[in-house]
Amino acid sequence: MNEAIKGNILTPSGWLNGTISFGERIAGIAGASADPGANADDYILPGFIDLHVHGGAGKDVMEGGGAVHAIAAIHARHGTTSMLATTMTAPPEDIDLALTAIGKAVRQRGKGEARVLGAHLEGPYINSGKLGAQPNFARAATIEEVHRLEKLAPMRVITVAPEISGHLELVRDLADHGVRVQIGHTLGSYEEGVAALDHGASGFTHLFNAMSGLHHREPGMVGAALAHAEFAELIPDLLHVHPGAIKGALRAIPRLYCVTDSTAATGMPDGEYMLGRHIVHKCMGGVRLPDGTLAGSTLTLDQALRNLVGLGLSLADASKRVSTNAADYLGLQERGRLERGAYADLVVMDRDLKLKAVYIEGERCDLNDA
Ligand SMILES: [Zn+2]
């Protein structure tokens, strides 16, 4: 199986106009450096990488079983070529069920599905005073429990509130064996954020949302992120964060990357859906709890890219924010970049940034398969 496609190819060293050939991996890229504004050819970009996905197509990761396959398939049709299936704060048996299914999906990717790289454990080790849309099953972690959960599925990212007693030791333990520990759902102070970073935390979960905000005499967790973070995730659906705050974060955090935090309602009509143990309502593109709290999104990363370009980012910069930076955060050298030897994870977009084709490890995904 060898394919070759032509267009404006975004490589680590800039735009080339030419041909990319690939099987499961990229075999070669031939062409001349070019300003894509000077022609009318398609864009060929690294496949999108989403490190925070709860659901889609009416399915929630917490259902376990085959739900994660349906979720990986709908996101693939929006250009996501690899992702982390993300759990909700829940009773232990629910988390076990979800992680067991994620572990299976990691071992076997189905046709037309994004590669599931592992789990993002979003809670239960969060602050019950800053739940956002998480059900109130928050509790303090024990290292033994986390090590048991890691056996069910590869744990790539874990969100914790560092101010909870015992959590700084957990941060150190997890960071020491390669888990990316993110600060989130937290009431922690600026100082507690800096302490967590010193103990090995390396990211922030949906920056600005569900964390103590910035005040100039009390900079809070947002202040810790803006002052010190190299990486942080952000939801650019333009509902969760004001465009001005997004622009500020882009100036402050060098490798800010975007996630969807997408729920079962993604790709579905308005109506009621499950988010973990909560019922949520989708209306006019927003997903909310009955009290109006935002409860994840219906965002997909192709729309995230268009939103970033709409905010004034160059396409090359926007592409990094939905792909390369997330790969770098996880330490994945073979994804998130179009270069010889990397996985052939790529998207083709027309001049209006509408998806024309998606390839996952060289396999072309059927975009119309509902
Ligand atoms: Zn989430």
Side-chain angles (χ1 to χ4, degrees), residues 52 54 86-88 122 134 185 205-206 261:
H52 195 147
H54 292 286
T86 305
T87 59
M88 293 284 290
E122 190 181 17
Q134 300 280 342
H185 289 277
T205 298
H206 40 56
D261 199 9

Side-chain angles (χ1 to χ4, degrees), residues 256-269:
L256 190 84
Y257 60 91
C258 294
V259 297
T260 61
D261 199 9
S262 50
T263 63
T266 304
M268 299 295 284

Side-chain angles (χ1 to χ4, degrees), residues 296-308:
S297 84
T298 60
L299 186 62
T300 51
L301 283 182
D302 56 337
Q303 186 60 46
L305 179 88
R306 290 188 287 270
N307 288 352
L308 293 177

